[in-house]
Amino acid sequence: MSANSREAVVDAETDWSTLPGRLVVLSGASGVGKSTLVHRLIDRAGGKVRRSISATTRAPREGETPGVDYDFVTAEVFEALRGDLLESAEVHGARYGTPAGPVREALAAGLCVILVIDVQGGLQVRRKVPNALLVFVQAPSLEALERRLRERGTDDDAAIARRLANARREIEASKGYDVQLVNDDLEACVAALIATLAEHQCTGGSDRD
Ligand code: 5GP
């Protein structure tokens, strides 16, 4: 069955759990490799997985493309969007949120939609979309995480300290997640993520009932 034949009329009132596609939340500390993992997953998923693009008030980093990595918006625009967000949170002093409309449309088309968001957002998604699959990616250790953040070279010492403190809180909150993966080897972690999605029928195709 093609994805199109599954398309349903969806609006803001549609019960998320009735949509044919599956929502996946991927959380983990900054620097743990979530973006790379998701790029590789999407490359290998044959069009079945789509990443949601978040809105954020933080400034773009070098190498980031507006509309691809994030929709970079002002605080005023973010507040105007708020009513249309599936979830939102303040992380490291900036606001982030998932626009609900594009996620709903992709789920209606039978796709697996992946949200790369923090645990506050993940737990909001759990309440609104009970059948969402929540996956948390751990670094092998906090020391390894600190090393990766320093190697990435995008944050100063204060920002790294804030990200590490946040990582400790996230690890605690991730106990409410369905699956925990450890990223000590990127390829092995990509394989584990692909296997997890298949096992939970997230990428099982649009014939799933
Ligand atoms: P970064 O600024 O390093 O790209 O992201 C900082 C944190 O914000 C990461 O944990 C990232 O997953 C999270 N984040 C990115 N987009 C969203 C979003 O739309 N909602 C929430 N709740 N967190 C987000």
Side-chain angles (χ1 to χ4, degrees):
M1 185 179 286
S2 78
N4 281 346
S5 61
R6 280 277 195 167
E7 264 177 35
V9 176
V10 281
D11 58 29
E13 303 306 315
T14 306
D15 179 350
W16 291 90
S17 57
T18 63
L19 299 174
R22 191 80 188 277
L23 193 55
V24 175
V25 168
L26 190 83
S27 300
S30 303
V32 79
K34 286 168 296 184
S35 297
T36 314
L37 270 175
V38 170
H39 275 133
R40 299 218 181 166
L41 167 70
I42 288 173
D43 278 352
R44 291 177 207 174
K48 288 180 186 164
V49 178
R50 182 170 296 171
R51 178 186 176 162
S52 156
I53 298 168
S54 297
T56 182
T57 60
R58 95 153 154 73
R61 294 193 190 113
E62 208 181 313
E64 285 182 328
T65 310
V68 174
D69 296 292
Y70 283 103
D71 279 332
F72 297 100
V73 299
T74 61
E76 290 71 28
V77 169
F78 191 92
E79 289 313 313
L81 284 175
R82 203 176 267 285
D84 299 324
L85 298 178
L86 168 58
E87 61 70 40
S88 65
E90 188 157 329
V91 189
H92 312 136
R95 279 168 255 178
Y96 296 82
T98 303
V103 174
R104 209 184 273 113
E105 279 160 28
L107 291 175
L111 295 174
C112 169
V113 182
I114 191 150
L115 311 183
V116 185
I117 62 177
D118 84 322
V119 288
Q120 305 171 73
L123 298 174
Q124 289 171 44
V125 170
R126 160 109 313 151
R127 287 193 289 276
K128 281 199 188 161
V129 190
N131 74 342
L133 180 72
L134 270 54
V135 180
F136 191 82
V137 185
Q138 305 264 10
S141 66
L142 283 171
E143 292 71 31
L145 188 61
E146 179 169 358
R147 208 165 41 244
R148 281 186 208 181
L149 286 171
R150 292 197 184 282
E151 281 165 10
R152 191 164 76 172
T154 52
D155 295 298
D156 60 20
D157 282 355
I160 289 177
R162 233 178 12 248
R163 288 180 191 281
L164 288 174
N166 202 46
R168 287 192 191 90
R169 278 197 297 277
E170 293 228 325
I171 290 166
E172 190 53 34
S174 74
K175 290 179 182 155
Y177 273 50
D178 301 304
V179 179
Q180 304 271 344
L181 301 176
V182 178
N183 187 9
D184 51 3
D185 174 275
L186 182 64
E187 271 311 308
C189 196
V190 173
L193 182 58
I194 291 171
T196 298
L197 298 193
E199 184 191 332
H200 291 266
Q201 284 91 42
C202 302
T203 47
S206 55
D207 289 334
R208 183 173 60 82
D209 279 321

